[in-house]
Amino acid sequence: MRRALELARTGWGRTHPNPMVGALIVEEGRIVAEGAHAEDGGPHAERLALLARGKPPRPGATLYVTLEPCSTAGRTGACTDAIIASGIRHVVVGATDPNPAHAGRAFEVLRQAGIEVTTGVLADECRDLNLIFNHWITTGGPLLATKSAVTLDGMIACRTGDSKWITGEPAREDVMRWRRLFPAIAVGAGTVMKDNPKLTARVPGAEPWCPIRFVFDGLLRSVTDRTMPQVYTDEHRARTVVVTTPHGGMGYVRKLRELGVQVWILPSPTQRVSLGEFRRKCAEERISGVYFEGGPTLVSQLLRDRQIDYLFAYRAPVLLADARAKTMLTGLRTERMADAVRLADVRHSVIGDDTLTRGRVVYPERMFVDETVFGLG
Ligand SMILES: NC(=O)c1ccc[n+]([C@@H]2O[C@H](COP(=O)([O-])OP(=O)(O)OC[C@H]3O[C@@H](n4cnc5c(N)ncnc54)[C@H](OP(=O)(O)O)[C@@H]3O)[C@@H](O)[C@H]2O)c1
């Protein structure tokens, strides 16, 4: 199953909105065929492994697959049918299909055909691999995740705004890997104007990749007559989508479109884009995950609106110990620990000198907004 997971990871960032899946066939203790789902609409991993075998598997062969095989005929036909037809008598599965309409259905189908089914092998790792797909298939909408890099005392910048760099190079490379996984990245206009980031995924040894780049800019302040931010002018500008409100000014919208940049004008009574509307539009466009990289204004609004589904926090062994240093998340009035926002399915990893804590966001029943921080509604 570890090898099947490695195969699944070859589809990292390429299979949306489908999951990454790896499969292999073992005969007499040896791997004789392998397959991985490579892209949405492409053949499933189990079918590719069977195809790679090139002949019927030997009696006693076992198929390992990281995700429960599909049991309904979609674009590629039910994999359970292909497995039954192949003559394989033992199937070992990692994660159960998270879709409640299917969960465990394939196990029934295979068992009824006389196939032995072993489930839950490295289930946790197999499930974690597809955190975007799992959310998409169960909610019908995108996984909205935020990333921050903070000091040991939770700060993202000095009182002057200086923030380069908080974490070390290995952690910054890890961010690139997650950028490569998510179909889209998002930042606020403040970050675009201050840092002028590239927002591409630069993973060592791999071709540079440009996800969809969302810029939240309710009044189009980042569109200027002087030097434009590079996400509006570089070779990937057609992958940039400025998310704005009807209050932004049509002249700026035209200017962006002339440059080849896309613009989403979403209904909003204020100058801030409604994140619920954004989520709905992403679902409509089949964008299954968005990785928000800041800045503090945008992600604090996400938190206040209970719209962060998943959180990545890199923490560096650095202290600022300055009450006027800047934090990423503000705007709540949390008076009791019972009202704190918590993470579930938490994972910790050590990356160089830094750590990454990530997990699903669980909101408390009561959340009080500090109106002195959020004046804009
Ligand atoms: N350490 C880290 O992980 C990290 C990550 C990212 C950024 N940063 C730092 O954060 C600083 C920038 O902070 P910031 O708070 O100004 O950044 P920001 O959140 O990127 O940008 C804030 C601006 O974006 C627009 N905006 C935010 N939410 C919006 C929404 N829902 N709809 C429409 N527009 C929206 C608003 O423009 P209007 O005011 O015009 O409405 C707002 O003022 C930079 O110094 C950067 O280096 C640090």
Side-chain angles (χ1 to χ4, degrees):
M1 192 59 84
R2 288 210 184 285
R3 174 63 190 150
L5 271 164
E6 271 176 29
L7 292 167
R9 282 193 199 100
T10 60
W12 190 260
R14 298 170 212 275
T15 60
H16 305 302
N18 271 5
M20 287 174 265
V21 188
L24 52 87
I25 299 170
V26 171
E27 291 179 0
E28 290 157 12
R30 280 185 43 242
I31 297 174
V32 294
E34 298 182 332
H37 184 50
E39 59 182 353
D40 178 39
H44 290 185
E46 307 86 313
R47 278 184 186 276
L48 288 171
L50 289 166
L51 212 64
R53 183 69 191 108
K55 57 183 182 185
R58 289 214 198 138
T62 301
L63 173 78
Y64 287 78
V65 58
T66 54
L67 180 66
E68 174 182 345
C70 64
S71 50
T72 47
R75 284 170 290 188
T76 51
C79 285
T80 44
D81 290 348
I83 295 167
I84 294 165
S86 75
I88 284 206
R89 313 301 298 158
H90 187 195
V91 175
V92 181
V93 179
T96 301
D97 187 339
N99 184 351
H102 293 168
R105 193 169 171 271
F107 308 151
E108 288 302 303
V109 173
L110 294 173
R111 283 184 182 127
Q112 269 169 20
I115 294 174
E116 182 188 345
V117 182
T118 307
T119 60
V121 175
L122 295 184
D124 202 31
E125 276 176 64
C126 290
R127 199 177 312 117
D128 182 56
L129 180 69
N130 284 313
L131 45 98
I132 297 177
F133 166 77
N134 297 345
H135 187 85
W136 175 258
I137 206 71
T138 50
T139 68
L143 180 82
L144 303 187
T146 63
K147 166 244 141 183
S148 57
V150 300
T151 62
L152 214 46
D153 47 347
M155 302 300 165
I156 60 156
C158 299
R159 59 166 69 202
T160 55
D162 183 42
S163 62
K164 287 205 168 62
W165 296 103
I166 293 169
T167 49
E169 216 164 286
R172 300 204 304 275
E173 271 179 21
D174 193 60
V175 169
M176 292 292 161
R177 255 179 21 88
W178 292 106
R179 275 190 186 178
R180 181 65 192 86
L181 175 67
F182 276 80
I185 301 187
V187 291
T191 300
V192 161
M193 290 189 292
K194 173 126 197 312
D195 300 349
N196 195 13
K198 281 197 179 77
L199 301 178
T200 53
R202 301 173 299 276
V203 179
E207 288 278 296
W209 164 257
C210 186
I212 296 166
R213 302 178 294 189
F214 287 117
V215 178
F216 280 73
D217 190 352
L219 293 179
L220 299 177
R221 279 193 303 130
S222 60
V223 187
T224 64
D225 295 327
R226 287 160 290 130
T227 321
M228 290 274 245
Q230 58 177 330
V231 288
Y232 301 160
T233 54
D234 68 10
E235 72 270 35
H236 306 296
R237 58 190 180 280
R239 303 275 289 161
T240 302
V241 182
V242 177
V243 189
T244 190
T245 66
H247 317 291
M250 278 317 285
Y252 295 130
V253 172
R254 256 195 312 277
K255 190 163 180 172
L256 285 169
R257 288 187 173 146
E258 274 164 22
L259 286 168
V261 174
Q262 302 177 57
V263 184
W264 286 1
I265 305 171
L266 301 182
S268 169
T270 72
Q271 70 182 63
R272 293 282 156 86
V273 171
S274 145
L275 294 159
E277 283 292 330
F278 173 70
R279 193 187 278 280
R280 189 194 51 71
K281 177 78 174 160
C282 285
E284 198 179 293
E285 299 288 329
R286 282 171 59 83
I287 296 169
S288 55
V290 185
Y291 188 60
F292 283 78
E293 294 210 28
T297 309
L298 178 59
V299 299
S300 295
Q301 188 197 338
L302 270 168
L303 185 75
R304 177 191 64 157
D305 293 352
R306 295 176 178 253
Q307 295 285 348
I308 306 180
D309 302 310
Y310 202 87
L311 191 140
F312 293 80
Y314 293 87
R315 190 171 287 265
V318 178
L319 286 173
L320 298 182
D322 181 346
R324 289 177 60 196
K326 307 202 186 308
T327 57
M328 183 62 108
L329 295 165
T330 52
L332 293 185
R333 203 161 49 75
T334 310
E335 292 173 357
R336 306 179 322 157
M337 283 313 294
D339 297 335
V341 177
R342 293 183 181 270
L343 297 191
D345 303 332
V346 179
R347 304 200 166 238
H348 300 283
S349 28
V350 176
I351 304 169
D353 285 343
D354 307 316
T355 58
L356 167 63
T357 298
R358 59 185 175 92
R360 201 163 43 76
V361 177
V362 181
Y363 292 94
E365 226 167 82
R366 311 184 321 159
M367 233 168 70
F368 300 105
V369 173
D370 183 347
E371 298 296 346
T372 58
V373 178
F374 282 101
L376 282 165

